[in-house]
Amino acid sequence: MTSTLPLSATAPAAAPPAAPPVGRVRTAAAWTAVAATVPYLTLKLLWLTGHPVGAGDADAMDDLWLLNLLTFGMDAVAVALALAFVRPWGRRAPAGLLAFPMWVATGLLGTILVALPLFLLSALVLGPEAAKAGADDGPSGWVFTLVYGGFAVQGVALIAGFLLYARERWAGLLRRDRIGDLPHSPTLTTQRAFACVAALLAAGVAAARLYWAFGGSAGLPVVWQEQRGRSVAIMDAVTAVMAVAAVAALLVLVFRRRPEWRLRGPLAVVWTAAGSVFAWGAWQLVALGTSVTASADPREAVPGLLPLVESVQVVTGLLVLAVGAVALVERAAAGAVPDTAWSAATVSRTARADVESAK
């Protein structure tokens, strides 16, 4: 006699489908990023344990222990991010827990990827930079090559790994939308107001950074004025460009300018440039607070303009981040950006249930 029980009651529940395998390119990118952190982490560990290898002034390492500890921790976070892109637990991690540190990492490393070729080009065209007075106490030349070479490799690998990870987890975010397809959400007026405020602040940051890049000295400690080199000027110029690029791309998005443009381009500019403005402003504030100590020498006094500009950078980046976060949350709530790391399994189980019901 044939059983009259439904199939779903007699058959064991099917296990959810396994997560899609991680591609070779993503795996290679992640492990390359991890490998690129090893020289820097090793160097910092040596300095923290009292072995000032490559340091021009060994005594200065004692005063910079907190700064070295912070930078060690920052690179350790980069290792964790790289592993999250290829390990199973990375698929289950909350989106914000990955996106925010990756935004900061993109800003820090992306700026180096832009500034480093410019510095090398300037050395090729203008020749090696003459050593400044008092600069002999800095790290040895091979330390610069080791650190920034590692940062360059790390930046390319980490950003590539993140893009491949995001393409799998948030496929809807990277689809081929055009700017004109963006919805006019209820918060659009607020987004535009935040974007305009960010644009005004970014204009001030760009003006100050360009002034310093072209040799201006107001607002800088006297010691810095004497020791500022070409690399610092290039970083100031790049920061100015990043500030302008971040708000320009954001204004294009929130005011729906160039509706025929693909969404990916301006979104990538906003992500990278705003991350740069925020991350370098925050880092310089932290570095200034941990490395500059009270001194009777007025030449080392820090005028108020420098930390003011750095603080404005942080606020500008946070405003851009707020606009982007609101827009993305609205898209996710509307079902435009599914988290494919778990939604694929949900869809598959639903489909099997429908088939069994039909039987």
Side-chain angles (χ1 to χ4, degrees):
M1 181 175 179
T2 304
S3 173
T4 58
L5 291 175
L7 179 62
S8 60
T10 59
V22 178
R24 294 181 179 179
V25 175
R26 194 162 105 204
T27 300
W31 287 109
T32 299
V34 172
T37 66
V38 172
Y40 186 78
L41 290 175
T42 302
L43 189 63
K44 289 294 181 175
L45 190 60
L46 288 171
W47 289 354
L48 286 168
T49 55
H51 301 82
V53 178
D57 185 359
D59 294 333
M61 290 296 103
D62 294 335
D63 299 329
L64 299 177
W65 69 269
L66 181 55
L67 197 61
N68 287 327
L69 183 62
L70 288 172
T71 50
F72 181 90
M74 290 166 63
D75 230 32
V77 171
V79 172
L81 286 171
L83 294 177
F85 301 154
V86 293
R87 303 304 300 164
W89 56 265
R91 302 173 188 266
R92 302 186 298 271
L97 193 61
L98 286 176
F100 181 75
M102 189 60 212
W103 178 60
V104 174
T106 303
L108 290 172
L109 297 172
T111 303
I112 292 174
L113 289 175
V114 174
L116 188 58
L118 294 177
F119 176 75
L120 296 176
L121 180 62
S122 71
L124 181 64
V125 174
L126 302 176
E129 188 174 10
K132 299 290 184 179
D136 295 337
D137 295 336
S140 303
W142 65 265
V143 173
F144 176 88
T145 304
L146 177 73
V147 169
Y148 284 93
F151 283 162
V153 175
Q154 182 182 341
V156 172
L158 195 64
I159 293 172
F162 175 69
L163 289 176
L164 295 171
Y165 171 89
R167 188 175 67 177
E168 175 189 308
R169 182 167 180 178
W170 302 296
L173 179 63
L174 300 176
R175 65 186 182 181
R176 296 184 177 180
D177 284 350
R178 298 184 184 274
I179 294 176
D181 298 330
L182 292 173
H184 287 265
S185 68
T187 65
L188 187 57
T189 300
T190 302
Q191 293 178 33
R192 288 173 172 173
F194 278 19
C196 289
V197 174
L200 292 175
L201 295 178
V205 170
R209 291 293 180 180
L210 285 176
Y211 167 73
W212 289 328
F214 285 97
S217 60
L220 299 177
V222 175
V223 174
W224 290 23
Q225 297 174 26
E226 296 172 351
Q227 298 181 4
R228 279 172 62 87
R230 192 184 301 158
S231 60
V232 179
I234 290 174
M235 284 296 296
D236 280 332
V238 170
T239 301
V241 172
M242 289 289 189
V244 173
V247 294
L250 182 65
L251 291 174
V252 167
L253 291 175
V254 297
F255 285 96
R256 309 298 190 256
R257 302 299 182 187
R258 302 293 181 182
E260 73 280 4
W261 283 5
R262 295 288 187 188
L263 184 60
R264 293 184 184 183
L267 189 62
V269 172
V270 170
W271 172 272
T272 304
S276 170
V277 172
F278 170 83
W280 281 100
W283 165 243
Q284 288 166 358
L285 278 176
V286 171
L288 190 66
T290 56
S291 62
V292 176
T293 57
S295 173
D297 187 354
R299 297 169 64 255
E300 297 181 2
V302 179
L305 181 59
L306 179 61
L308 175 62
V309 172
E310 293 163 352
S311 299
V312 172
Q313 286 184 223
V314 172
V315 174
T316 302
L318 289 176
L319 286 173
V320 177
L321 177 64
V323 173
V326 169
L328 293 179
V329 167
E330 288 180 344
R331 290 191 72 190
V337 188
D339 191 336
T340 55
W342 58 266
S343 62
T346 303
V347 171
S348 180
R349 287 195 297 269
T350 303
R352 286 199 303 273
D354 292 340
V355 172
E356 291 173 358
S357 298
K359 291 179 180 179

